C-alpha cells in the first residue's frame, strides 16, 4: 500500500504539471487543430499514468478521471468549447473543471440530500458485509448486488470528488445520477439518468459532430441514428480501456458489444417513438420493468463476465476488508495513546 500511495502522489504531481502547461502555454495558442496537437503529449501521459496503480479503487478511479474525464475535457478545451469558453481566470478553477464532475451555475446551488446520501453509503457497507456470505447466495442474487453496488459506489465517489470544488469556487455539484432505477426507457436511462457527467461530455465531443456530419447525407430526421451508435461505440471502447487497466488482460470486447447493442436499441427505440408519436404508449410500470429487465439481462450477459472471470469482485471485497482493518488498527492505536 505504501508503494501504491507513492505512485498515486506521483501521478497527481505529474498531472498538475501537465495542466500548468495546458493553462499557461497551450491556452495562448490558437484554438482548434494547432492547440489540439500541442496537447498530444498530455493526452499520452494521462493514458499511461494510471498504469502505475494496481489496486482497484485507486486504479479504476484514476483511469476514469484521467483517461475519460480529463482527456475528453481537454478535447473540449482544444476547441474552446464549454465549459472552457471563456477559459477560466483561475488556474485552480481550470483544474477543477478538467478533473472533477462539476460545472459553474451562477451560484444557484443544488443541495444534495444528505440523508439519502448517508443511506446509500450504509447500503454499500451492508453489501460488503453480505459478500462475506457469498458462497451461500445464489449467483443471480450476487449479480444483482453487484449492479446495485456499481451504481452506489460510482455515485458516492463522483459526488465526494466534486465537494472540494464546490467549497472553494461555489460550483454547483454536477448531478451524476438521477435515480436510474426509475428509467422508463433505454433513452431515458442513458440520456437522463445514468452517469450524466459522461453523457454531458459525449454529446459535444461525439454525438453532435457525428449528427451534423450525417445531416448532409441523410437529413436531420434520421441523422441521430449513426450519431447514437457512434456515441455508444466510443463509450464501449472507453469502458474496454478501463477494463484493461482494472484486469490487465487482453480485451474480450464483451463490454464494447454491450454498448453497441444498447446504442442500436436506443436508436431503434427513438425511431419507433418518432413513427408512432403519441398514438401508442406503454404504461410507466410496464416500460420501467422492461427497461430494467433488459439492462439486467444484457449486463449479466456482456458487462460483468470479464470482471468476474478475472476475480475483480474478490479484489474489490479484499480491498474493502483491508481498509476496514486499517481503520480499526488506527483507531486502536489512537485509543492506546490517549488512554
Amino acid at each position: 500500500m505504501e508503494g501504491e500511495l507513492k505512485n498515486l502522489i506521483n501521478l497527481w504531481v505529474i498531472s498538475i504539471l501537465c495542466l500548468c502547461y495546458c493553462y499557461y502555454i497551450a491556452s495562448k495558442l490558437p484554438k482548434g487543430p494547432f492547440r489540439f496537437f500541442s496537447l498530444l503529449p498530455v493526452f499520452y501521459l494521462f493514458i499511461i499514468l494510471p498504469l502505475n496503480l494496481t489496486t482497484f479503487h485507486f486504479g479504476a478511479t484514476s483511469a476514469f478521471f484521467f483517461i475519460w474525464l480529463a482527456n475528453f475535457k481537454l478535447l473540449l478545451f482544444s476547441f474552446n468549447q464549454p465549459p472552457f469558453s471563456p477559459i477560466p481566470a483561475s488556474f485552480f478553477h481550470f483544474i477543477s473543471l478538467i478533473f472533477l464532475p462539476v460545472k459553474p451555475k451562477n451560484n444557484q446551488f443544488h443541495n444534495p440530500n444528505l440523508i439519502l446520501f448517508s443511506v446509500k453509503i450504509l447500503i454499500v457497507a451492508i453489501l460488503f458485509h453480505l459478500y462475506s456470505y457469498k458462497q451461500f447466495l445464489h449467483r443471480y442474487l450476487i449479480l444483482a448486488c453487484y449492479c446495485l453496488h456499481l451504481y452506489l459506489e460510482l455515485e458516492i465517489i463522483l459526488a465526494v470528488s466534486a465537494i472540494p470544488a464546490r467549497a472553494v469556487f461555489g460550483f454547483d455539484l454536477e448531478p451524476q445520477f438521477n435515480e436510474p432505477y426509475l428509467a422508463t426507457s433505454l433513452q431515458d436511462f442513458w440520456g437522463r439518468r445514468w452517469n450524466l457527467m459522461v453523457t454531458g461530455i459525449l454529446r459535444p465531443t461525439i454525438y453532435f459532430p457525428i449528427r451534423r456530419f450525417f445531416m448532409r447525407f441523410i437529413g436531420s430526421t434520421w441523422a441521430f441514428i449513426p450519431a447514437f451508435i457512434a456515441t455508444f461505440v466510443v463509450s464501449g471502447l472507453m469502458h474496454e480501456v478501463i477494463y484493461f487497466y482494472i484486469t490487465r488482460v487482453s480485451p474480450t470486447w464483451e463490454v464494447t458489444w454491450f454498448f453497441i447493442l444498447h446504442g442500436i436499441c436506443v436508436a431503434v427505440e427513438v425511431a419507433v417513438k418518432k413513427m408512432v408519436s403519441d398514438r401508442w404508449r406503454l404504461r410507466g410500470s410496464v416500460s420501467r420493468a422492461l427497461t430494467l429487465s433488459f439492462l439486467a439481462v444484457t449486463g449479466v450477459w456482456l458487462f460483468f463476465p470479464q470482471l468476474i472471470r478475472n476475480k475483480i469482485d474478490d479484489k474489490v471485497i479484499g480491498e474493502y476488508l483491508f481498509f476496514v482493518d486499517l481503520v480499526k488498527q488506527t483507531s486502536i492505536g489512537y485509543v492506546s495513546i490517549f488512554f
Side-chain angles (χ1 to χ4, degrees), residues 46-242:
F46 281 2
I47 290 172
I48 66 170
L49 283 174
L51 283 171
N52 294 321
L53 301 172
T54 57
T55 59
F56 173 85
H57 287 91
F58 286 161
T61 304
S62 297
F64 173 76
F65 279 99
F66 280 80
I67 298 172
W68 196 323
L69 195 61
N71 276 342
F72 275 78
K73 290 280 191 75
L74 285 176
L75 185 61
L76 295 174
F77 167 69
S78 300
F79 297 90
N80 266 21
Q81 295 295 310
F84 303 101
S85 178
I87 295 173
S90 164
F91 174 62
F92 294 103
H93 183 164
F94 178 74
I95 292 176
S96 297
L97 288 178
I98 289 290
F99 279 125
L100 301 177
V102 295
K103 63 178 179 182
K105 221 175 183 182
N106 300 321
N107 295 323
Q108 297 176 1
F109 295 116
H110 167 70
N111 293 312
N113 188 325
L114 294 180
I115 296 177
L116 181 59
F117 189 72
S118 301
V119 169
K120 291 177 178 178
I121 294 176
L122 177 61
I123 292 174
V124 171
I126 293 173
L127 287 174
F128 273 115
H129 179 71
L130 188 63
Y131 295 151
S132 302
Y133 305 94
K134 193 169 65 169
Q135 65 271 26
F136 304 112
L137 302 177
H138 193 278
R139 175 174 177 268
Y140 290 118
L141 178 58
I142 295 172
L143 288 171
C145 291
Y146 288 168
C147 291
L148 180 60
H149 184 175
L150 174 67
Y151 156 55
L152 293 174
E153 188 157 346
L154 271 175
E155 182 169 18
I156 291 168
I157 290 173
L158 294 174
V160 169
S161 68
I163 290 174
R166 178 182 181 180
V168 175
F169 299 110
F171 286 168
D172 190 13
L173 293 181
E174 182 80 20
Q176 295 307 306
F177 296 88
N178 179 23
E179 314 303 339
Y181 45 82
L182 298 179
T184 56
S185 67
L186 291 176
Q187 182 189 19
D188 183 35
F189 179 86
W190 292 113
R192 292 184 287 270
R193 294 186 179 276
W194 181 264
N195 206 345
L196 301 180
M197 187 70 216
V198 167
T199 302
I201 292 175
L202 290 175
R203 281 196 182 110
T205 55
I206 307 297
Y207 177 79
F208 291 140
I210 296 295
R211 183 173 182 177
R212 285 195 297 268
F213 175 79
F214 278 96
M215 282 174 62
R216 294 179 290 180
F217 304 101
I218 59 178
S220 59
T221 303
W222 301 108
F224 72 88
I225 294 178
F228 268 133
I229 295 174
T231 302
F232 276 87
V233 168
V234 171
S235 181
L237 292 174
M238 294 306 300
H239 278 83
E240 203 75 61
V241 171
I242 293 175

Side-chain angles (χ1 to χ4, degrees), residues 225-298:
I225 294 178
F228 268 133
I229 295 174
T231 302
F232 276 87
V233 168
V234 171
S235 181
L237 292 174
M238 294 306 300
H239 278 83
E240 203 75 61
V241 171
I242 293 175
Y243 270 37
F244 172 75
Y245 280 70
I246 294 172
T247 63
R248 303 301 170 91
V249 299
S250 300
T252 61
W253 308 110
E254 289 163 294
V255 70
T256 300
W257 281 111
F258 171 84
F259 282 95
I260 291 175
L261 173 62
H262 277 256
I264 294 171
C265 290
V266 169
V268 171
E269 179 184 282
V270 174
V272 171
K273 287 179 181 178
K274 283 180 175 287
M275 290 186 290
V276 302
S277 188
D278 293 326
R279 296 192 300 271
W280 184 74
R281 187 183 295 271
L282 289 173
R283 296 174 65 92
S285 57
V286 175
S287 61
R288 187 173 294 118
L290 290 174
T291 300
L292 295 180
S293 297
F294 183 79
L295 286 162
V297 170
T298 55

Side-chain angles (χ1 to χ4, degrees), residues 6-61:
K6 181 179 178 180
N7 289 335
L8 183 66
I9 293 171
N10 289 337
L11 179 149
W12 281 103
V13 169
I14 295 172
S15 68
I16 297 300
L17 293 175
C18 289
L19 291 188
C20 285
Y21 162 76
C22 295
Y23 185 76
Y24 292 109
I25 298 177
S27 64
K28 312 303 179 187
L29 303 176
K31 67 178 181 179
F34 194 71
R35 185 186 296 177
F36 170 77
F37 284 114
S38 74
L39 295 177
L40 288 180
V42 179
F43 287 122
Y44 173 73
L45 283 173
F46 281 2
I47 290 172
I48 66 170
L49 283 174
L51 283 171
N52 294 321
L53 301 172
T54 57
T55 59
F56 173 85
H57 287 91
F58 286 161
T61 304

